[in-house]
Short mmCIF file of all heavy atoms in Angstrom, two decimals:
data_model
loop_
_atom_site.label_atom_id
_atom_site.label_comp_id
_atom_site.label_asym_id
_atom_site.label_seq_id
_atom_site.Cartn_x
_atom_site.Cartn_y
_atom_site.Cartn_z
N GLU A 40 -9.81 8.74 -10.67
CA GLU A 40 -9.06 7.95 -9.64
C GLU A 40 -8.40 8.79 -8.64
O GLU A 40 -7.70 9.67 -8.97
CB GLU A 40 -8.00 6.94 -10.28
CG GLU A 40 -8.47 5.86 -11.17
CD GLU A 40 -7.38 4.95 -11.58
OE1 GLU A 40 -6.23 5.42 -11.92
OE2 GLU A 40 -7.59 3.73 -11.64
N PRO A 41 -8.67 8.47 -7.33
CA PRO A 41 -7.94 9.26 -6.33
C PRO A 41 -6.51 9.00 -6.36
O PRO A 41 -5.97 7.83 -6.81
CB PRO A 41 -8.56 8.75 -4.99
CG PRO A 41 -9.15 7.32 -5.31
CD PRO A 41 -9.46 7.43 -6.87
N MET A 42 -5.63 9.92 -6.07
CA MET A 42 -4.10 9.73 -6.03
C MET A 42 -3.54 10.12 -4.69
O MET A 42 -4.08 10.78 -3.88
CB MET A 42 -3.62 10.71 -7.14
CG MET A 42 -4.07 10.25 -8.57
SD MET A 42 -3.45 8.70 -8.91
CE MET A 42 -4.46 8.21 -10.28
N GLY A 43 -2.31 9.64 -4.56
CA GLY A 43 -1.33 10.03 -3.48
C GLY A 43 -1.98 10.31 -2.20
O GLY A 43 -2.46 9.37 -1.42
N ALA A 44 -2.05 11.66 -1.79
CA ALA A 44 -2.56 12.05 -0.39
C ALA A 44 -4.07 11.52 -0.15
O ALA A 44 -4.37 11.15 0.97
CB ALA A 44 -2.45 13.52 -0.38
N GLU A 45 -4.78 11.62 -1.30
CA GLU A 45 -6.23 11.19 -1.14
C GLU A 45 -6.23 9.74 -0.92
O GLU A 45 -7.16 9.28 -0.09
CB GLU A 45 -6.84 11.57 -2.47
CG GLU A 45 -8.43 11.52 -2.43
CD GLU A 45 -9.01 12.08 -3.62
OE1 GLU A 45 -8.35 12.49 -4.68
OE2 GLU A 45 -10.24 12.05 -3.75
N LEU A 46 -5.44 8.94 -1.47
CA LEU A 46 -5.42 7.38 -1.26
C LEU A 46 -4.99 7.33 0.12
O LEU A 46 -5.67 6.43 0.87
CB LEU A 46 -4.53 6.73 -2.19
CG LEU A 46 -5.08 6.59 -3.62
CD1 LEU A 46 -3.86 6.13 -4.55
CD2 LEU A 46 -6.20 5.59 -3.72
N PHE A 47 -3.95 7.94 0.74
CA PHE A 47 -3.41 7.69 1.92
C PHE A 47 -4.43 8.01 2.99
O PHE A 47 -4.58 7.28 3.94
CB PHE A 47 -2.13 8.41 2.18
CG PHE A 47 -1.51 8.22 3.51
CD1 PHE A 47 -0.63 7.24 3.68
CD2 PHE A 47 -1.99 8.94 4.61
CE1 PHE A 47 -0.05 6.93 4.86
CE2 PHE A 47 -1.39 8.78 5.93
CZ PHE A 47 -0.44 7.62 5.95
N SER A 48 -5.20 9.06 2.83
CA SER A 48 -6.22 9.51 3.84
C SER A 48 -7.48 8.98 3.64
O SER A 48 -8.45 9.21 4.52
CB SER A 48 -6.12 10.95 3.96
OG SER A 48 -6.61 11.50 2.61
N GLY A 49 -7.80 8.11 2.82
CA GLY A 49 -8.98 7.45 2.63
C GLY A 49 -9.32 6.37 3.75
O GLY A 49 -8.40 5.55 4.07
N ILE A 50 -10.49 6.30 4.24
CA ILE A 50 -10.74 5.31 5.19
C ILE A 50 -10.85 3.95 4.67
O ILE A 50 -10.44 3.00 5.25
CB ILE A 50 -12.16 5.80 5.95
CG1 ILE A 50 -12.12 7.08 6.60
CG2 ILE A 50 -12.56 4.74 7.08
CD1 ILE A 50 -11.05 7.31 7.57
N VAL A 51 -11.38 3.83 3.48
CA VAL A 51 -11.37 2.56 2.72
C VAL A 51 -10.69 2.85 1.46
O VAL A 51 -11.06 3.82 0.67
CB VAL A 51 -12.81 2.19 2.42
CG1 VAL A 51 -12.83 0.91 1.57
CG2 VAL A 51 -13.67 1.80 3.68
N VAL A 52 -9.69 2.03 1.09
CA VAL A 52 -8.93 2.21 -0.20
C VAL A 52 -8.76 0.84 -0.84
O VAL A 52 -8.30 -0.09 -0.10
CB VAL A 52 -7.50 2.72 0.11
CG1 VAL A 52 -6.62 2.91 -1.12
CG2 VAL A 52 -7.66 4.20 0.71
N GLY A 53 -9.09 0.71 -2.16
CA GLY A 53 -9.01 -0.65 -2.75
C GLY A 53 -9.64 -1.66 -2.11
O GLY A 53 -9.14 -2.89 -2.16
N GLY A 54 -10.80 -1.33 -1.44
CA GLY A 54 -11.54 -2.46 -0.77
C GLY A 54 -11.09 -2.77 0.61
O GLY A 54 -11.59 -3.77 1.26
N LYS A 55 -10.03 -2.18 1.08
CA LYS A 55 -9.40 -2.48 2.41
C LYS A 55 -9.39 -1.23 3.28
O LYS A 55 -9.57 -0.07 2.79
CB LYS A 55 -7.94 -2.96 2.22
CG LYS A 55 -7.83 -4.14 1.21
CD LYS A 55 -8.36 -5.48 1.74
CE LYS A 55 -8.13 -6.44 0.79
NZ LYS A 55 -8.55 -7.76 1.16
N ALA A 56 -9.08 -1.43 4.57
CA ALA A 56 -8.89 -0.29 5.44
C ALA A 56 -7.85 0.60 4.87
O ALA A 56 -6.79 0.05 4.45
CB ALA A 56 -8.52 -0.74 6.78
N GLY A 57 -7.98 1.90 4.75
CA GLY A 57 -7.04 2.80 4.24
C GLY A 57 -5.73 3.06 5.11
O GLY A 57 -5.76 2.57 6.30
N CYS A 58 -4.72 3.53 4.55
CA CYS A 58 -3.45 3.68 5.21
C CYS A 58 -3.52 4.48 6.56
O CYS A 58 -2.96 4.12 7.49
CB CYS A 58 -2.46 4.47 4.24
SG CYS A 58 -2.29 3.79 2.55
N ILE A 59 -4.37 5.65 6.50
CA ILE A 59 -4.54 6.45 7.61
C ILE A 59 -5.15 5.72 8.87
O ILE A 59 -4.96 6.06 9.91
CB ILE A 59 -5.29 7.68 7.26
CG1 ILE A 59 -5.09 8.92 8.29
CG2 ILE A 59 -6.75 7.44 7.04
CD1 ILE A 59 -3.75 9.42 8.29
N SER A 60 -5.74 4.64 8.62
CA SER A 60 -6.47 3.83 9.66
C SER A 60 -5.42 3.27 10.56
O SER A 60 -5.62 3.11 11.76
CB SER A 60 -7.33 2.63 9.08
OG SER A 60 -8.26 3.14 8.22
N CYS A 61 -4.15 3.00 10.06
CA CYS A 61 -3.03 2.44 10.87
C CYS A 61 -1.78 3.20 11.01
O CYS A 61 -0.97 2.99 11.89
CB CYS A 61 -2.70 1.05 10.42
SG CYS A 61 -4.22 -0.07 10.45
N HIS A 62 -1.54 4.08 10.04
CA HIS A 62 -0.32 4.75 9.88
C HIS A 62 -0.47 6.27 10.10
O HIS A 62 -1.53 6.84 9.43
CB HIS A 62 0.37 4.58 8.62
CG HIS A 62 0.79 3.19 8.23
ND1 HIS A 62 1.91 2.64 8.78
CD2 HIS A 62 0.16 2.27 7.48
CE1 HIS A 62 2.04 1.36 8.50
NE2 HIS A 62 1.01 1.07 7.59
N SER A 63 0.41 6.91 10.82
CA SER A 63 0.37 8.36 11.00
C SER A 63 1.44 8.98 10.11
O SER A 63 2.40 8.32 9.62
CB SER A 63 0.59 8.75 12.45
OG SER A 63 0.78 10.16 12.61
N THR A 64 1.30 10.31 9.77
CA THR A 64 2.34 11.05 9.10
C THR A 64 3.09 11.95 10.05
O THR A 64 3.92 12.77 9.65
CB THR A 64 1.79 11.79 7.92
OG1 THR A 64 0.71 12.71 8.38
CG2 THR A 64 1.19 10.85 6.95
N ASP A 65 2.76 11.89 11.40
CA ASP A 65 3.38 12.69 12.46
C ASP A 65 4.67 11.81 12.90
O ASP A 65 4.49 10.68 13.30
CB ASP A 65 2.44 12.84 13.52
CG ASP A 65 1.33 13.77 13.06
OD1 ASP A 65 1.46 14.64 12.24
OD2 ASP A 65 0.23 13.56 13.62
N PRO A 66 5.89 12.44 13.05
CA PRO A 66 6.99 11.81 13.57
C PRO A 66 6.77 11.15 14.96
O PRO A 66 6.13 11.84 15.82
CB PRO A 66 8.03 12.96 13.61
CG PRO A 66 7.55 13.96 12.65
CD PRO A 66 6.02 13.90 12.74
N GLY A 67 7.11 10.02 15.12
CA GLY A 67 6.96 9.23 16.39
C GLY A 67 5.59 8.90 16.84
O GLY A 67 5.37 8.29 17.89
#
Side-chain angles (χ1 to χ4, degrees):
E40 286 187 326
M42 295 295 165
E45 195 175 357
L46 285 167
F47 184 89
S48 58
I50 302 301
V51 176
V52 175
K55 309 285 182 181
C58 311
I59 197 74
S60 299
C61 300
H62 296 283
S63 172
T64 57
D65 296 326

